[in-house]
């Protein structure tokens, strides 16, 4: 059996399990990053499925990543919330990090909103800001599409000129405006971690055009773009990146500031779900 047939069988098995447990699967999915799992409080009548119960689904060991999927209603609109994700720094491959995207493609999810915690490179940003990701930079790390070509993820050499949908970005700007939430915009640069970046790496990131840095989101965004799932992504700025301010990035600052900004994200996500759904 070829490698991609095995992969496709895994996506299919996971999707079948979710569809059987959840009943109707929504067209919109939202992924909750570090410290943002309390967003699940705002989902009603949800079926909760632990990642560990889903066949082949990788389970996160990262702090403040819950590891459960919720299928329910947000202000009466059906949505799939994925609370927690896996990262390469936990020892997972890029393929594992993007596994759920293959499952979402199988479930015919058409719209995906990714969220994460990020460090600011742009000095006009401050902890607590929300940044709409306009594009990303991933230089050294491998791709989630490495391996035999799998048509589930489009052509062999998929185009990445619009990873973050122009249409969804417009919707998010409108939602933020309606809610009076100031929205920054910028380029997110992927670092594999788990160590925070050095000040020299952050200076380089700035020269290259990055506004924020983080250890997630990009593997999945690449896979989602290739699979034809319309994608948008929001970063909660939890800290100034290494060397940008007097204080060095640390885990408690990241989770505390992500938690403190979660209320803004909850209303933005709700507004987005109803505007996009
Ligand atoms: N660097 C990388 N990842 C992060 C950071 C950071 O400064 N903050 C939150 N996630």
């Amino acid at each position: 059996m070829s490698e991609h047939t095995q992969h496709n069988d895994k996506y299919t098995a996971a999707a079948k399990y979710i569809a059987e447990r959840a009943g109707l699967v929504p067209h919109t999915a939202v992924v909750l990053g570090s410290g943002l799992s309390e967003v699940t409080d705002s989902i009603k009548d949800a079926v909760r499925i632990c990642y560990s119960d889903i066949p082949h689904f990788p389970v996160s060991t990262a702090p403040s990543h819950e590891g459960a999927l919720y299928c329910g209603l947000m202000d009466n609109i059906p949505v799939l919330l994925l609370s927690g994700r896996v990262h390469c720094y936990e020892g997972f491959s890029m393929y594992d990090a993007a596994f759920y995207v293959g499952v979402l493609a199988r479930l015919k999810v058409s719209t995906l909103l990714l969220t994460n915690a990020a460090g600011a490179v742009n000095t006009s940003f401050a902890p607590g800001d929300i940044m709409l990701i306009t594009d990303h930079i991933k230089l050294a790390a491998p791709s989630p599409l490495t391996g035999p070509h799998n048509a589930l993820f489009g052509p062999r050499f998929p185009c990445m000129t619009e990873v973050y949908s122009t249409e969804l970005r417009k919707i998010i700007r409108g939602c933020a405006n309606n809610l009076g939430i100031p929205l920054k915009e910028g380029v997110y640069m992927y670092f594999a971690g788990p160590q925070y970046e050095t000040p020299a790496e952050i200076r380089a990131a700035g020269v290259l055009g990055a506004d924020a840095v983080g250890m997630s989101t990009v593997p999945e965004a690449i896979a989602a773009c290739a699979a034809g799932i319309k994608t948008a992504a929001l970063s909660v700025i939890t800290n100034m990146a290494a060397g940008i301010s007097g204080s060095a990035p640390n885990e408690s600052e990241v989770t505390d500031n992500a938690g403190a900004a979660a209320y803004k994200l909850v209303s933005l996500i709700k507004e987005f779900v109803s505007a996009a759904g």
Side-chain angles (χ1 to χ4, degrees), residues 117-120 191 196-197 213-215 238-242 249 254:
F191 283 84
Y196 289 110
E197 302 71 30
V213 293
M215 305 174 195
T238 52
N239 58 287
M240 300 314 285
V254 169

Side-chain angles (χ1 to χ4, degrees), residues 26-249:
H27 296 301
T28 303
V30 179
V31 178
L32 305 172
S34 296
L36 299 172
S37 47
E38 69 175 77
V39 176
T40 58
D41 293 349
S42 55
I43 189 165
K44 298 279 176 307
D45 300 328
V47 175
R48 180 180 183 276
I49 306 173
C50 288
Y51 292 167
S52 55
D53 290 338
I54 305 171
H56 313 293
F57 217 81
V59 179
S60 176
T61 62
S64 39
H65 278 256
E66 182 189 1
L69 176 154
Y70 294 74
C71 193
L73 300 174
M74 248 186 170
D75 284 348
N76 284 324
I77 312 284
V79 66
L80 196 65
L81 285 185
L82 286 98
S83 181
R85 54 155 70 86
V86 302
H87 308 78
C88 295
Y89 66 70
E90 297 171 72
F92 291 100
S93 64
M94 277 280 184
Y95 162 79
D96 293 326
F99 181 83
Y100 72 79
V101 177
V103 179
L104 297 183
R106 279 278 184 268
L107 290 168
K108 306 265 180 280
V109 165
S110 52
T111 300
L112 176 63
L113 176 62
L114 303 168
T115 65
N116 62 43
V121 178
N122 187 323
T123 53
S124 74
F125 294 179
D129 283 349
I130 311 268
M131 182 186 91
L132 177 64
I133 299 184
T134 55
D135 205 348
H136 72 234
I137 303 173
K138 175 191 76 61
L139 294 180
S143 165
L145 308 175
T146 300
H149 176 225
N150 184 347
L152 183 63
F153 297 101
R156 173 75 284 197
F157 302 107
C159 169
M160 292 285 136
T161 52
E162 197 189 324
V163 177
Y164 306 92
S165 153
T166 305
E167 181 193 335
L168 295 186
R169 279 189 275 149
K170 195 167 163 200
I171 291 176
I172 291 176
R173 279 187 209 107
C175 294
N177 195 39
N178 292 343
L179 295 164
I181 296 175
L183 197 61
K184 307 286 184 186
E185 299 202 15
V187 173
Y188 175 94
M189 185 159 178
Y190 176 80
F191 283 84
Q195 73 286 356
Y196 289 110
E197 302 71 30
T198 64
E201 285 167 339
I202 293 302
R203 282 195 301 278
V207 170
L208 292 173
D211 296 287
V213 293
M215 305 174 195
S216 70
T217 303
V218 169
E220 304 114 280
I222 291 172
C225 174
I229 299 174
K230 260 189 286 173
T231 301
L234 291 167
S235 292
V236 176
I237 301 298
T238 52
N239 58 287
M240 300 314 285
I244 296 284
S245 72
S247 67

